[in-house]
Amino acid sequence: GLGDVYKRQELLKDGYINGGAGLTISARDLAKIGLLIQQQGQWQQQQLVPANWLQLAASPHTTARNQLANLNLSNYGYLWWLGSLSGQQAQLAWGFGGQFILTLPEKNLTLVLLQNHSSGTSSQQQQQGMQLLQQILTSAL
């Protein structure tokens, strides 16, 4: 279930859980997060996250431009990059080392990609990962 997403929790100095790092999450569990976003916070007919909070998280709060393969990112919400892919609205959670959750609400599509671009990863490996991502995104439409 969705409750299995947080397998390891990292505490900060003030005792709060660092929800943005130190997590061990499978691709399947990341996809559940994407589906939860697409389903307006509902999971198996239960409202787990208020829909209005998710709308707020997916609203632009900062103008920030970035490019990931053929995905044009123009704004940043609450931990989500916001942009478009071939004219389709897109939301992207961009994690450390090339980990992504991409949602295309108009296509009812959630895409998860796990890579590990650590400091020891060659630029050729990173480039191959980006080429693969571009092929996947192009095929998604």
Side-chain angles (χ1 to χ4, degrees), residues 16-38:
Y16 286 101
I17 294 171
N18 181 357
L23 302 176
T24 303
I25 302 176
S26 70
R28 183 173 295 215
D29 288 338
L30 288 172
K32 289 176 185 178
I33 294 171
L35 290 172
L36 186 67
I37 298 296
Q38 286 210 32

Side-chain angles (χ1 to χ4, degrees), residues 3-99:
D4 297 332
V5 168
Y6 296 101
K7 295 185 169 99
R8 181 175 61 117
Q9 298 175 342
E10 183 177 306
L11 293 180
L12 301 173
K13 290 179 184 177
D14 58 7
Y16 286 101
I17 294 171
N18 181 357
L23 302 176
T24 303
I25 302 176
S26 70
R28 183 173 295 215
D29 288 338
L30 288 172
K32 289 176 185 178
I33 294 171
L35 290 172
L36 186 67
I37 298 296
Q38 286 210 32
Q39 295 170 4
Q40 305 300 314
Q42 289 190 4
W43 186 262
Q44 298 178 346
Q45 290 79 41
Q46 289 185 316
Q47 191 73 38
L48 298 183
V49 180
N52 61 348
W53 190 91
L54 290 174
Q55 289 172 348
L56 187 62
S59 299
H61 295 284
T62 301
T63 301
R65 302 232 178 263
N66 213 332
Q67 185 80 25
L68 179 65
N70 51 349
L71 183 61
N72 297 312
L73 304 168
S74 55
N75 292 297
Y76 196 72
Y78 293 153
L79 303 178
W80 289 90
W81 284 94
L82 310 170
S84 64
L85 175 66
S86 299
Q88 303 278 328
Q89 177 189 2
Q91 297 169 286
L92 177 75
W94 190 339
F96 175 76
Q99 303 168 43

Side-chain angles (χ1 to χ4, degrees), residues 92-138:
L92 177 75
W94 190 339
F96 175 76
Q99 303 168 43
F100 305 102
I101 304 171
L102 173 68
T103 67
L104 299 170
E106 296 168 40
K107 292 286 188 181
N108 195 27
L109 176 71
T110 295
L111 172 71
V112 170
L113 183 62
L114 295 180
Q115 302 175 80
N116 187 10
H117 295 167
S118 62
S119 59
T121 305
S122 74
S123 61
Q124 181 181 6
Q125 288 172 313
Q126 290 180 23
Q127 186 178 17
Q128 288 171 345
M130 289 302 104
Q131 288 172 346
L132 174 62
L133 179 61
Q134 185 151 342
Q135 289 174 351
I136 291 169
L137 293 176
T138 301

